[in-house]
Protein backbone atom coordinates (compact mmCIF):
# COMPACT_ATOMS: atom_id res chain seq x y z
CA UNK A 1 0.00 0.00 0.00
CA UNK A 2 2.88 2.39 -0.58
CA UNK A 3 2.41 5.54 -2.60
CA UNK A 4 1.88 4.59 -6.24
CA UNK A 5 3.29 6.34 -9.26
CA UNK A 6 0.07 7.21 -10.97
CA UNK A 7 -0.89 9.79 -13.48
CA UNK A 8 -3.90 11.84 -12.54
CA UNK A 9 -6.05 13.36 -15.22
CA UNK A 10 -6.92 17.03 -14.80
CA UNK A 11 -10.47 16.07 -13.93
CA UNK A 12 -9.31 13.60 -11.26
CA UNK A 13 -6.93 16.12 -9.77
CA UNK A 14 -9.67 18.71 -9.54
CA UNK A 15 -11.98 16.08 -8.05
CA UNK A 16 -9.46 15.42 -5.30
CA UNK A 17 -9.01 19.14 -4.77
CA UNK A 18 -12.77 19.66 -4.50
CA UNK A 19 -13.12 16.79 -2.03
CA UNK A 20 -10.40 18.19 0.18
CA UNK A 21 -11.83 21.71 0.04
CA UNK A 22 -15.28 20.35 0.82
CA UNK A 23 -13.78 19.07 4.06
CA UNK A 24 -12.22 22.50 4.60
CA UNK A 25 -8.82 21.02 3.89
CA UNK A 26 -5.93 21.78 1.58
CA UNK A 27 -3.93 19.73 -0.88
CA UNK A 28 -0.16 19.68 -1.38
CA UNK A 29 1.27 18.63 -4.72
CA UNK A 30 4.44 19.08 -6.73
CA UNK A 31 4.48 21.67 -9.49
CA UNK A 32 5.57 20.75 -12.96
CA UNK A 33 6.80 23.09 -15.68
CA UNK A 34 8.28 26.55 -15.86
CA UNK A 35 5.38 28.78 -16.86
CA UNK A 36 5.48 30.54 -13.49
CA UNK A 37 9.25 30.82 -13.11
CA UNK A 38 10.95 32.31 -11.18
CA UNK A 39 8.18 32.50 -8.58
CA UNK A 40 7.20 28.85 -8.94
CA UNK A 41 9.81 26.45 -10.24
CA UNK A 42 9.53 22.92 -11.49
CA UNK A 43 9.41 20.61 -8.49
CA UNK A 44 8.17 23.15 -5.95
CA UNK A 45 5.58 21.91 -3.46
CA UNK A 46 2.38 23.93 -3.65
CA UNK A 47 -0.30 24.06 -0.96
CA UNK A 48 -3.69 24.76 -2.51
CA UNK A 49 -6.50 26.30 -0.47
CA UNK A 50 -10.14 26.78 -1.39
CA UNK A 51 -10.68 29.87 -3.52
CA UNK A 52 -12.55 32.94 -2.34
CA UNK A 53 -13.34 35.38 -5.10
CA UNK A 54 -12.39 38.41 -3.08
CA UNK A 55 -9.25 40.36 -4.01
CA UNK A 56 -8.01 37.74 -6.42
CA UNK A 57 -5.72 40.12 -8.32
CA UNK A 58 -2.16 38.85 -8.18
CA UNK A 59 -3.04 35.55 -6.59
CA UNK A 60 -1.81 32.33 -8.17
CA UNK A 61 -4.70 30.00 -8.87
CA UNK A 62 -5.42 26.49 -10.10
CA UNK A 63 -7.56 26.65 -13.21
CA UNK A 64 -9.21 23.81 -15.11
CA UNK A 65 -9.15 24.22 -18.86
CA UNK A 66 -12.49 24.36 -20.64
CA UNK A 67 -11.82 21.00 -22.23
CA UNK A 68 -11.18 19.61 -18.72
CA UNK A 69 -8.06 17.99 -20.09
CA UNK A 70 -5.50 20.18 -18.45
CA UNK A 71 -4.93 22.17 -15.31
CA UNK A 72 -2.80 25.28 -15.10
CA UNK A 73 -1.40 27.14 -12.13
CA UNK A 74 -1.17 30.78 -13.22
CA UNK A 75 -1.52 34.26 -11.82
CA UNK A 76 -4.69 36.38 -11.93
CA UNK A 77 -3.65 39.56 -13.74
CA UNK A 78 -7.03 41.14 -14.13
CA UNK A 79 -10.73 40.77 -14.58
CA UNK A 80 -12.82 41.48 -17.66
CA UNK A 81 -16.53 41.20 -18.36
CA UNK A 82 -15.80 37.75 -19.78
CA UNK A 83 -13.99 36.47 -16.74
CA UNK A 84 -10.67 36.45 -14.93
CA UNK A 85 -7.51 37.05 -16.91
CA UNK A 86 -4.78 34.55 -16.10
CA UNK A 87 -1.17 34.46 -17.21
CA UNK A 88 1.95 32.50 -16.49
CA UNK A 89 4.66 34.85 -15.16
CA UNK A 90 7.17 33.31 -17.57
CA UNK A 91 4.91 33.41 -20.60
CA UNK A 92 4.48 36.12 -23.20
CA UNK A 93 0.74 35.81 -23.59
CA UNK A 94 -2.21 35.50 -21.23
CA UNK A 95 -4.59 32.54 -21.15
CA UNK A 96 -7.63 34.49 -22.17
CA UNK A 97 -10.56 35.23 -19.86
CA UNK A 98 -11.58 32.35 -17.60
CA UNK A 99 -14.85 31.86 -15.86
CA UNK A 100 -14.75 31.81 -12.07
CA UNK A 101 -16.17 28.28 -12.23
CA UNK A 102 -12.93 27.03 -13.75
CA UNK A 103 -10.84 28.38 -10.86
CA UNK A 104 -10.51 25.55 -8.38
CA UNK A 105 -8.05 26.73 -5.75
CA UNK A 106 -5.49 29.28 -4.69
CA UNK A 107 -1.80 28.71 -4.05
CA UNK A 108 -1.42 29.43 -0.36
CA UNK A 109 2.24 28.53 0.02
CA UNK A 110 5.27 27.45 -1.97
CA UNK A 111 8.03 25.22 -0.66
CA UNK A 112 11.36 24.67 -2.35
CA UNK A 113 14.07 22.42 -0.90
CA UNK A 114 12.29 22.42 2.46
CA UNK A 115 12.14 26.23 2.60
CA UNK A 116 9.05 28.41 2.36
CA UNK A 117 9.13 30.76 -0.61
CA UNK A 118 7.28 34.01 0.04
CA UNK A 119 8.31 36.06 -2.99
CA UNK A 120 5.51 36.24 -5.49
CA UNK A 121 2.56 35.52 -3.21
CA UNK A 122 2.86 38.38 -0.75
CA UNK A 123 1.69 41.99 -1.20
CA UNK A 124 4.10 42.35 -4.15
CA UNK A 125 1.82 40.00 -6.11
CA UNK A 126 -0.33 42.92 -7.24
CA UNK A 127 2.66 44.73 -8.71
CA UNK A 128 3.76 41.50 -10.40
CA UNK A 129 0.27 41.06 -11.88
CA UNK A 130 0.22 44.61 -13.24
CA UNK A 131 3.71 44.31 -14.74
CA UNK A 132 2.74 40.97 -16.25
CA UNK A 133 -0.43 42.39 -17.75
CA UNK A 134 1.40 45.24 -19.47
CA UNK A 135 4.02 42.74 -20.59
CA UNK A 136 7.03 44.28 -18.97
CA UNK A 137 7.48 41.65 -16.26
CA UNK A 138 9.57 39.36 -18.44
CA UNK A 139 11.98 42.09 -19.59
CA UNK A 140 12.39 43.24 -15.97
CA UNK A 141 13.09 39.69 -14.80
CA UNK A 142 15.61 39.29 -17.62
CA UNK A 143 17.41 42.46 -16.54
CA UNK A 144 17.40 41.34 -12.90
CA UNK A 145 18.85 37.96 -13.88
CA UNK A 146 21.61 39.69 -15.86
CA UNK A 147 22.39 41.99 -12.91
CA UNK A 148 22.53 39.01 -10.59
CA UNK A 149 25.00 37.26 -12.91
CA UNK A 150 27.18 40.37 -13.16
CA UNK A 151 27.18 40.88 -9.38
CA UNK A 152 28.00 37.24 -8.79
CA UNK A 153 30.77 37.35 -11.36
CA UNK A 154 32.22 40.50 -9.79
CA UNK A 155 32.12 38.98 -6.32
CA UNK A 156 34.03 35.94 -7.44
CA UNK B 1 -4.13 3.62 16.44
CA UNK B 2 -2.65 0.56 18.07
CA UNK B 3 -5.09 -2.29 18.15
CA UNK B 4 -5.01 -6.00 17.54
CA UNK B 5 -7.73 -6.83 15.05
CA UNK B 6 -10.55 -8.86 16.59
CA UNK B 7 -13.14 -10.51 14.35
CA UNK B 8 -15.93 -8.84 16.33
CA UNK B 9 -14.52 -5.37 15.73
CA UNK B 10 -16.48 -2.86 13.68
CA UNK B 11 -14.53 -0.31 11.66
CA UNK B 12 -15.45 2.81 9.71
CA UNK B 13 -13.53 5.04 7.32
CA UNK B 14 -11.81 7.98 8.92
CA UNK B 15 -13.44 11.35 8.15
CA UNK B 16 -10.02 12.81 7.48
CA UNK B 17 -9.40 11.21 4.11
CA UNK B 18 -10.00 12.18 0.52
CA UNK B 19 -10.74 9.23 -1.73
CA UNK B 20 -11.39 8.85 -5.44
CA UNK B 21 -11.60 6.10 -8.05
CA UNK B 22 -8.95 6.67 -10.70
CA UNK B 23 -8.98 4.11 -13.50
CA UNK B 24 -8.28 0.72 -11.92
CA UNK B 25 -7.21 2.06 -8.56
CA UNK B 26 -8.90 3.67 -5.62
CA UNK B 27 -6.79 6.52 -4.32
CA UNK B 28 -6.86 7.53 -0.66
CA UNK B 29 -5.17 10.64 0.64
CA UNK B 30 -5.17 11.10 4.43
CA UNK B 31 -5.66 14.64 5.66
CA UNK B 32 -3.24 15.48 8.46
CA UNK B 33 -4.05 18.74 10.22
CA UNK B 34 -6.34 19.55 7.32
CA UNK B 35 -3.68 19.01 4.67
CA UNK B 36 -3.62 16.18 2.18
CA UNK B 37 -0.10 15.72 0.89
CA UNK B 38 -0.27 14.11 -2.52
CA UNK B 39 3.49 14.11 -2.75
CA UNK B 40 4.33 12.14 0.38
CA UNK B 41 1.18 10.38 1.42
CA UNK B 42 -1.13 8.80 -1.10
CA UNK B 43 -2.34 5.22 -1.06
CA UNK B 44 -3.98 3.10 -3.68
CA UNK B 45 -6.26 0.15 -3.24
CA UNK B 46 -6.69 -2.59 -5.78
CA UNK B 47 -10.03 -4.19 -6.59
CA UNK B 48 -10.26 -6.39 -3.49
CA UNK B 49 -8.95 -3.62 -1.26
CA UNK B 50 -11.67 -1.33 -2.57
CA UNK B 51 -14.32 -4.00 -1.88
CA UNK B 52 -13.15 -4.34 1.71
CA UNK B 53 -12.99 -0.54 2.07
CA UNK B 54 -16.61 -0.28 0.87
CA UNK B 55 -17.68 -2.83 3.49
CA UNK B 56 -16.20 -0.78 6.34
CA UNK B 57 -19.44 1.08 6.89
CA UNK B 58 -19.48 1.16 10.68
CA UNK B 59 -22.20 -1.50 10.80
CA UNK B 60 -20.61 -4.79 9.75
CA UNK B 61 -18.14 -6.49 12.02
CA UNK B 62 -15.10 -8.29 10.68
CA UNK B 63 -16.88 -11.65 10.74
CA UNK B 64 -19.65 -10.32 8.50
CA UNK B 65 -17.13 -8.82 6.08
CA UNK B 66 -15.22 -12.08 5.89
CA UNK B 67 -18.41 -14.04 5.19
CA UNK B 68 -19.29 -11.65 2.36
CA UNK B 69 -15.83 -12.06 0.84
CA UNK B 70 -15.98 -15.85 1.14
CA UNK B 71 -19.23 -15.82 -0.83
CA UNK B 72 -17.61 -13.70 -3.56
CA UNK B 73 -14.21 -15.34 -3.87
CA UNK B 74 -13.16 -18.94 -4.12
CA UNK B 75 -10.55 -18.71 -1.39
CA UNK B 76 -9.98 -20.57 1.85
CA UNK B 77 -11.53 -18.89 4.90
CA UNK B 78 -8.23 -18.94 6.75
CA UNK B 79 -6.53 -17.09 3.89
CA UNK B 80 -9.26 -14.45 3.74
CA UNK B 81 -9.07 -13.90 7.50
CA UNK B 82 -5.32 -13.42 7.28
CA UNK B 83 -5.57 -11.05 4.33
CA UNK B 84 -8.40 -8.98 5.75
CA UNK B 85 -6.90 -8.62 9.22
CA UNK B 86 -3.53 -7.75 7.69
CA UNK B 87 -5.18 -5.15 5.47
CA UNK B 88 -7.09 -3.65 8.40
CA UNK B 89 -3.90 -3.42 10.40
CA UNK B 90 -2.33 -1.42 7.57
CA UNK B 91 -5.34 0.90 7.38
CA UNK B 92 -5.43 1.33 11.16
CA UNK B 93 -1.69 2.00 11.31
CA UNK B 94 -2.16 4.89 8.89
CA UNK B 95 -5.28 6.18 10.66
CA UNK B 96 -7.41 5.62 7.57
CA UNK B 97 -10.04 3.80 9.65
CA UNK B 98 -11.51 4.20 13.13
CA UNK B 99 -12.83 1.47 15.38
CA UNK B 100 -16.49 1.91 16.25
CA UNK B 101 -16.89 -1.05 18.49
CA UNK B 102 -14.58 -3.63 19.89
CA UNK B 103 -15.86 -6.76 21.48
CA UNK B 104 -13.43 -8.89 23.41
Amino acid sequence: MDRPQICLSAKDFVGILNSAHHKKGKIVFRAKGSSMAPFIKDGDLLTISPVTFHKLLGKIVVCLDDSQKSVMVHRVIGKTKNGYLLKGDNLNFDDGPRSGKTIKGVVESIERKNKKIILGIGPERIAIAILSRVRILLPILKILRSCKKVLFFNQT
Amino acid sequence: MKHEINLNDIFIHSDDVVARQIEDEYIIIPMTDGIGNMEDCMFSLNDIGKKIWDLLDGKKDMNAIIEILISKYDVEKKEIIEDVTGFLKQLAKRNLVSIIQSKE
Side-chain angles (χ1 to χ4, degrees), chain A residues 51 53 56 61-64 76 84 86 99-105:
Chain A
V51 62
F53 292 91
L56 259 191
V61 298
V62 175
C63 179
L64 181 64
V76 176
Y84 292 92
L86 304 187
S99 157
K101 289 180 190 174
T102 63
I103 295 177
K104 302 297 181 181

Side-chain angles (χ1 to χ4, degrees), chain A residues 80-95:
Chain A
T80 69
K81 60 180 180 181
N82 296 320
Y84 292 92
L85 214 52
L86 304 187
K87 186 174 169 295
D89 291 340
N90 199 27
L91 301 177
N92 286 315
F93 300 101
D94 61 61
D95 305 313

